[in-house]
Amino acid sequence: MNIREYISRNEERFLEDLFALIRIPSVSAKSEHKPDMQRCAEHWRDHLLQVGAQKAEVFQTPGNPVVYAERIIDPKTKTILVYAHYDVMPPEPLELWKSDPFEPVIRDGHIWARGADDDKGQGMIQVKGFETAMALGLVQCNVKFLFEGEEEIGSTNLEAFCEAHKEMLAADVILVSDTSMVSAETPSLTTGLRGLAYWEVEVTGPNRDLHSGHFGGAVANPINELCKLIAGVVDENGRITIPHFYDDVVPLSDEERAMIAQVPFSEEKYRQALDIDAVFGEAGYSTLERNSCRPSFDVCGIWGGYTGEGAKTVLPSKAYAKVSTRLVASQDHAKISQMFVDYIASVAPKHIKVKVTPLHGGEAYLCPIDLPAYKAAEEACAIAFGKRPLAVRRGGSIPIIATFEKVLGLKTVLMGFGLESNAIHSPNENLPLDIFRKGIESVAEFYRIYK
Amino acid sequence: MNIREYISRNEERFLEDLFALIRIPSVSAKSEHKPDMQRCAEHWRDHLLQVGAQKAEVFQTPGNPVVYAERIIDPKTKTILVYAHYDVMPPEPLELWKSDPFEPVIRDGHIWARGADDDKGQGMIQVKGFETAMALGLVQCNVKFLFEGEEEIGSTNLEAFCEAHKEMLAADVILVSDTSMVSAETPSLTTGLRGLAYWEVEVTGPNRDLHSGHFGGAVANPINELCKLIAGVVDENGRITIPHFYDDVVPLSDEERAMIAQVPFSEEKYRQALDIDAVFGEAGYSTLERNSCRPSFDVCGIWGGYTGEGAKTVLPSKAYAKVSTRLVASQDHAKISQMFVDYIASVAPKHIKVKVTPLHGGEAYLCPIDLPAYKAAEEACAIAFGKRPLAVRRGGSIPIIATFEKVLGLKTVLMGFGLESNAIHSPNENLPLDIFRKGIESVAEFYRIYK
């Protein structure tokens, strides 16, 4: 039996296994889901034992548990460390979902659920690829699994875990499915990731909500002031105005820009898909450069004052925003984090109080394309997708990838199978069944090739 | 028995009557309180009949009911039309209240509850002043009562009601207690009110929430853009930048500015009371001028994106704000309302869609201080408070006052007894008992004097 046949014969069971995982609402951003995190970790542990791990364990951390499992073929041969995360983003706004985010369904050839792609679907692709290769006797290297439950909230405790378990985690390279491809027709492997810095900004005006008629015009309004602070961060050319923000950014080479220009991309289709009349970003860069190779500044959330029905006239006491920047290779997230804190302190006017709290951050990452594991992944995907994958940088962040390099001294191959239309982090997250199958095939082929 | 004695002997009952009224949560901004509006109107109707009205009726409107009552002494003598509103502002944020907003308590010599001042407390001052004067046989004019339930949401249906009942509402002057005094030690009567225009702004970016890593930097973020739009409305000198916004504002005369300068005011105490390090407003004007005689622009509420616990990275599809301006005499609110809609349309960039919905508005108002009813009110307050009240302009808006002038051809005397510390529209709204007593005395004296 070959790889494709094995996957086809077992597909129904593979989906059942994924659905059981998805049904555990492991939302790491909300403390009410704490018990679900433990349950999800135990679920993975048991499943990894079922598919071929010799041992598997749930490790407690100060946050959510870490799952470790391994299959040692031969202590003298090479070792792959597979990383995934079992936590998911909050499903809100719930009213926009067409079906329950935690009750997966198959509709129009897609799996619909929170985590269908990020990262339960892709994590399951890794595990079922391993199962397939194991079942067919193709695995030629040792395989270790490291699954965490805090990726969506900054992998707070994983660095310390890696520091404490360096020997257990020793490997030659890391393999991760948590990124996306250019498209279903244009498979690609991710060679770069953006870093991240994230803050909460709290602006305080008067010590209580005031009547806007009695005080309006005489007392600074914290929402107006928050808007001014935010508006000041990005100029009309889409450039971030914080002094020294771009100092450490390595400029894009002409060669890189030429490669990016080869990626099939229609700005018109992009605009149509998002229903926008125009794109907006840093002057002098293309859309594909802006969303992967250049930093960005986004407000992720804002709130303050009266937001209910009707027209309440109030000059509120407080206004809040959650703001983030995506960083690119060579920008230090801790340095940028402090830079923003200092910048806001320097521009905040005397008539308000501003508190900036860094929430999390992570470094950017670059992968060399001559790495043996990268070449094996490239060949494996070429077989499964019928096309050699492009090497591209992506705009998302997986901060832990840079941490692995720092702590474990390992490069990571980002063998991700997501699509933009999978709507990760959004309502109606999904994964095409065809991608699920081809992903599993790619991973199984990887084990066949890599030694 | 004199006025003061009557009030003292009946104080306990007066408070019970006020408390019964406050316990009806007549929040006009929320549709869930619809049944409470009807209940509150009926409560006033029954109470007005108890205290001396010969007839009283609840009139249905397309919105909340209107209460009308009257005591005709002599069809040939003068008539006072007393206006009040029985609706209150939403009590949110509830967690900041020290006691239930709809279960009034007396603590430290104050009544604490939503509506304790605005306008159930002040409305009750009017009614108990009338009761007192009636009981002592002092009323020398006809008295009509017009109580509405939509003042906090723009008095939407009262203009049509006035148009339809001009004869029933015919009077010589209108008397209203819905404003505040300079302080308990410096009684004052309000001679000017600001107007209002209020809008909801909706900014749409992409057609769904996006992953800020995959799209950030390449697609305009509706929150960033909303902040830019709002930040652009007021410049660094506190001036509203909308073209022609100030065209119709009558400049403050040197005489008026000299009067305002006589009002006792300590900026240091003002700052301390609000816990702010500096005031902010239009350059070239004092705090008292800014909050009563000059227009203002305040964001009353803002929301969009992820506002829950933790750090969700998202580029949201939508952002919203509720924004308002306070207007001053001679600015037309409808004209200003359209001006803002046109301004936002003219400055909104192509990469977002912006919808501006006018929610409500009202004209500013000025009262001549040689009006006989004004003079009677001045004398009455001087007796109750032991000091002649100052004539001052105030920053709040009672849009219906300008409508009364337009539709009924009547001037209004604003005999208000509020204090800034009463925290109307805010958590822990309250009314000092001493003000409740002196207010009732002032109104009873007014009836004794006015003929």
Side-chain angles (χ1 to χ4, degrees):
Chain A
M1 185 157 51
N2 69 21
I3 290 172
R4 211 167 278 185
E5 279 166 1
Y6 184 89
I7 295 166
S8 177
R9 286 193 195 171
N10 291 280
E11 182 175 322
E12 203 168 319
R13 181 174 52 81
F14 286 0
L15 285 170
E16 275 164 23
D17 290 343
L18 172 58
F19 286 11
L21 184 74
I22 285 172
R23 287 192 190 102
I24 305 169
S26 47
V27 178
S28 51
K30 295 194 177 174
S31 49
E32 70 206 68
H33 288 289
K34 203 80 190 160
D36 298 317
M37 308 316 289
Q38 176 70 26
R39 203 149 58 88
C40 200
E42 290 170 4
H43 189 93
W44 260 131
R45 177 197 61 196
D46 299 345
H47 193 69
L48 286 163
L49 286 171
Q50 277 172 32
V51 300
Q54 292 147 325
K55 64 176 200 182
E57 194 175 340
V58 171
F59 287 83
Q60 295 305 322
T61 75
N64 296 327
V66 165
V67 184
Y68 172 77
E70 63 179 34
R71 174 80 193 197
I72 304 300
I73 303 288
D74 173 359
K76 292 191 292 289
T77 194
K78 282 187 177 170
T79 301
I80 293 288
L81 176 62
V82 176
Y83 163 85
H85 65 91
Y86 65 82
D87 62 323
V88 294
M89 292 295 279
E92 285 80 9
L94 291 173
E95 65 276 16
L96 297 185
W97 284 82
K98 289 185 189 142
S99 55
D100 187 332
F102 296 112
E103 187 45 64
V105 293
I106 291 172
R107 197 169 63 236
D108 306 328
H110 292 238
I111 304 158
W112 301 86
R114 170 57 83 234
D117 170 331
D118 180 20
D119 187 38
K120 289 176 174 173
Q122 294 218 50
M124 194 55 85
I125 282 172
Q126 276 292 333
V127 169
K128 292 305 175 188
F130 168 73
E131 179 195 318
T132 301
M134 280 298 295
L136 300 178
L138 302 173
V139 177
Q140 306 172 71
C141 60
N142 304 312
V143 186
K144 297 176 174 180
F145 295 91
L146 174 68
F147 288 7
E148 69 150 325
E150 301 184 316
E151 196 272 343
E152 301 293 9
I153 54 170
S155 299
T156 323
N157 294 292
L158 198 58
E159 180 167 350
F161 185 86
C162 290
E163 290 279 7
H165 298 90
K166 277 185 186 173
E167 201 172 331
M168 181 176 86
L169 299 172
D172 292 275
V173 71
I174 298 173
L175 190 61
V176 176
S177 294
D178 194 23
T179 48
S180 62
M181 302 187 302
V182 169
S183 74
E185 297 72 37
T186 308
S188 61
L189 291 167
T190 298
T191 54
L193 290 168
R194 288 199 286 188
L196 178 74
Y198 197 112
W199 308 263
E200 186 164 310
V201 181
E202 176 186 335
V203 177
T204 305
N207 53 1
R208 59 190 166 91
D209 288 359
L210 301 177
H211 189 293
S212 70
H214 298 173
F215 293 89
V219 176
N221 178 315
I223 305 181
N224 292 49
E225 296 298 324
L226 175 60
C227 288
K228 281 188 217 168
L229 290 174
I230 288 170
V233 175
V234 181
D235 71 14
E236 66 280 12
N237 294 313
R239 292 274 297 182
I240 293 163
T241 63
I242 300 167
H244 305 293
F245 182 85
Y246 291 97
D247 282 5
D248 296 334
V249 172
V250 179
L252 266 175
S253 66
D254 289 348
E255 200 185 332
E256 278 176 291
R257 302 188 77 169
M259 268 182 54
I260 293 165
Q262 286 172 33
V263 174
F265 179 75
S266 156
E267 192 182 285
E268 194 187 339
K269 281 185 190 159
Y270 186 81
R271 284 191 281 104
Q272 282 171 356
L274 300 172
D275 193 17
I276 54 176
D277 292 332
V279 295
F280 175 72
E282 192 182 355
Y285 293 91
S286 72
T287 291
L288 290 186
E289 289 165 349
R290 288 168 176 171
N291 72 8
S292 63
C293 307
R294 299 294 299 173
S296 60
F297 178 83
D298 275 292
V299 185
C300 298
I302 194 163
W303 69 104
Y306 184 71
T307 58
E309 193 186 345
K312 179 173 174 177
T313 51
V314 63
L315 193 169
S317 172
K318 298 267 192 184
Y320 301 86
K322 290 178 190 271
V323 302
S324 70
T325 67
R326 297 285 170 167
L327 307 172
V328 295
S330 88
Q331 285 185 297
D332 178 327
H333 76 87
K335 188 174 157 188
I336 293 288
S337 188
Q338 189 58 45
M339 200 182 274
F340 181 73
V341 171
D342 296 343
Y343 164 77
I344 292 294
S346 75
V347 297
K350 206 181 145 195
H351 47 259
I352 51 168
K353 296 179 186 76
V354 184
K355 190 174 132 194
V356 179
T357 308
L359 288 191
H360 81 85
E363 303 295 1
Y365 172 73
L366 275 176
C367 172
I369 60 172
D370 55 0
L371 205 67
Y374 179 82
K375 290 198 161 295
E378 193 179 40
E379 194 181 332
C381 290
I383 292 166
F385 286 86
K387 216 175 200 176
R388 184 157 297 269
L390 290 176
V392 296
R393 289 212 238 170
R394 311 295 290 183
S397 308
I398 315 181
I400 196 63
I401 302 301
T403 305
F404 288 149
E405 187 162 21
K406 190 179 72 176
V407 178
L408 303 176
L410 299 178
K411 279 290 181 186
T412 296
V413 173
L414 294 155
M415 198 179 182
F417 304 100
L419 298 177
E420 266 176 26
S421 55
N422 291 1
I424 68 169
H425 292 208
S426 297
N428 303 308
E429 181 176 350
N430 67 93
L431 184 72
L433 284 174
D434 185 53
I435 294 290
F436 186 60
R437 291 176 200 120
K438 286 179 177 159
I440 295 168
E441 184 181 347
S442 301
V443 174
E445 291 287 357
F446 175 87
Y447 284 113
R448 189 185 57 76
I449 296 159
Y450 184 75
K451 57 185 172 186
Chain B
M1 186 156 50
N2 68 22
I3 288 173
R4 213 167 277 187
E5 281 168 358
Y6 183 88
I7 294 167
S8 177
R9 287 192 194 173
N10 291 280
E11 181 174 322
E12 203 167 321
R13 181 174 53 80
F14 286 1
L15 286 169
E16 274 163 25
D17 289 343
L18 173 58
F19 287 9
L21 184 72
I22 285 173
R23 287 192 191 103
I24 305 169
S26 46
V27 179
S28 51
K30 296 192 177 176
S31 48
E32 71 206 66
H33 288 290
K34 202 80 193 164
D36 298 317
M37 308 315 292
Q38 175 70 23
R39 201 148 61 88
C40 200
E42 289 170 5
H43 189 94
W44 260 132
R45 175 198 61 198
D46 297 346
H47 193 68
L48 286 163
L49 286 171
Q50 277 171 34
V51 299
Q54 294 149 323
K55 66 176 198 181
E57 192 173 344
V58 171
F59 286 83
Q60 296 306 322
T61 76
N64 296 325
V66 165
V67 185
Y68 173 78
E70 62 179 36
R71 174 81 194 194
I72 304 300
I73 303 288
D74 174 359
K76 292 192 292 292
T77 194
K78 282 188 178 170
T79 301
I80 293 287
L81 175 62
V82 176
Y83 163 84
H85 64 92
Y86 66 83
D87 62 323
V88 294
M89 291 295 279
E92 285 81 7
L94 290 171
E95 66 275 17
L96 297 185
W97 284 82
K98 288 184 189 143
S99 54
D100 186 332
F102 296 112
E103 186 47 63
V105 294
I106 291 171
R107 197 167 63 234
D108 307 328
H110 291 237
I111 305 159
W112 301 86
R114 169 58 82 233
D117 171 333
D118 179 21
D119 187 41
K120 289 176 175 174
Q122 294 217 51
M124 195 55 85
I125 283 172
Q126 276 291 335
V127 169
K128 292 305 174 188
F130 168 74
E131 178 194 318
T132 301
M134 281 297 296
L136 301 177
L138 301 173
V139 177
Q140 306 173 70
C141 58
N142 304 314
V143 187
K144 297 177 174 178
F145 295 92
L146 174 68
F147 288 7
E148 71 151 323
E150 301 185 313
E151 196 273 341
E152 301 293 8
I153 52 169
S155 299
T156 324
N157 294 293
L158 197 57
E159 181 167 349
F161 184 87
C162 291
E163 289 279 7
H165 299 89
K166 278 186 185 171
E167 201 172 332
M168 178 176 87
L169 300 172
D172 292 275
V173 74
I174 297 174
L175 191 62
V176 176
S177 293
D178 193 24
T179 47
S180 62
M181 301 186 304
V182 169
S183 74
E185 298 73 36
T186 307
S188 61
L189 291 167
T190 297
T191 53
L193 290 168
R194 289 199 284 188
L196 177 73
Y198 197 111
W199 308 263
E200 187 164 308
V201 181
E202 175 186 336
V203 177
T204 305
N207 52 1
R208 59 189 167 94
D209 287 1
L210 301 178
H211 188 293
S212 69
H214 299 172
F215 293 89
V219 176
N221 178 315
I223 305 181
N224 292 48
E225 297 298 325
L226 175 61
C227 288
K228 282 188 217 169
L229 290 175
I230 288 169
V233 175
V234 182
D235 71 15
E236 67 279 12
N237 294 313
R239 290 274 297 184
I240 293 163
T241 62
I242 299 166
H244 306 294
F245 182 85
Y246 291 97
D247 283 5
D248 296 334
V249 172
V250 178
L252 266 174
S253 67
D254 289 347
E255 200 184 333
E256 278 177 289
R257 301 189 78 168
M259 269 183 54
I260 293 165
Q262 285 171 35
V263 174
F265 179 74
S266 156
E267 191 182 287
E268 195 188 339
K269 280 185 190 161
Y270 186 81
R271 283 190 282 106
Q272 282 170 357
L274 299 173
D275 193 18
I276 53 176
D277 293 332
V279 295
F280 175 72
E282 191 182 356
Y285 293 91
S286 72
T287 291
L288 290 185
E289 290 165 348
R290 288 168 174 170
N291 71 10
S292 63
C293 307
R294 299 292 299 173
S296 60
F297 177 83
D298 275 293
V299 185
C300 297
I302 193 164
W303 69 102
Y306 184 71
T307 59
E309 194 186 341
K312 179 174 174 177
T313 50
V314 64
L315 193 171
S317 171
K318 297 267 191 185
Y320 302 86
K322 289 176 189 274
V323 302
S324 70
T325 67
R326 296 286 170 168
L327 306 172
V328 296
S330 88
Q331 285 185 295
D332 178 327
H333 76 87
K335 185 173 158 189
I336 294 287
S337 189
Q338 188 58 45
M339 200 182 274
F340 181 71
V341 171
D342 294 344
Y343 164 76
I344 292 294
S346 75
V347 296
K350 206 182 145 196
H351 48 258
I352 50 168
K353 295 179 186 75
V354 184
K355 189 174 134 194
V356 179
T357 309
L359 289 189
H360 81 87
E363 302 295 2
Y365 172 73
L366 275 175
C367 172
I369 61 175
D370 55 0
L371 205 69
Y374 179 83
K375 292 198 160 297
E378 191 178 43
E379 194 181 332
C381 291
I383 292 165
F385 286 85
K387 215 174 199 174
R388 183 156 297 268
L390 290 176
V392 296
R393 287 213 239 171
R394 309 295 290 182
S397 308
I398 313 180
I400 196 63
I401 302 302
T403 305
F404 288 149
E405 188 163 20
K406 190 180 74 178
V407 178
L408 304 175
L410 299 178
K411 279 289 181 189
T412 296
V413 172
L414 293 155
M415 198 181 184
F417 304 100
L419 297 176
E420 264 174 26
S421 56
N422 291 2
I424 66 168
H425 292 208
S426 298
N428 302 307
E429 179 174 351
N430 67 93
L431 184 73
L433 284 172
D434 186 54
I435 294 290
F436 185 63
R437 291 175 200 119
K438 285 178 177 161
I440 294 168
E441 184 179 347
S442 301
V443 175
E445 290 288 357
F446 174 89
Y447 285 113
R448 189 185 57 78
I449 296 159
Y450 185 77
K451 58 184 170 187

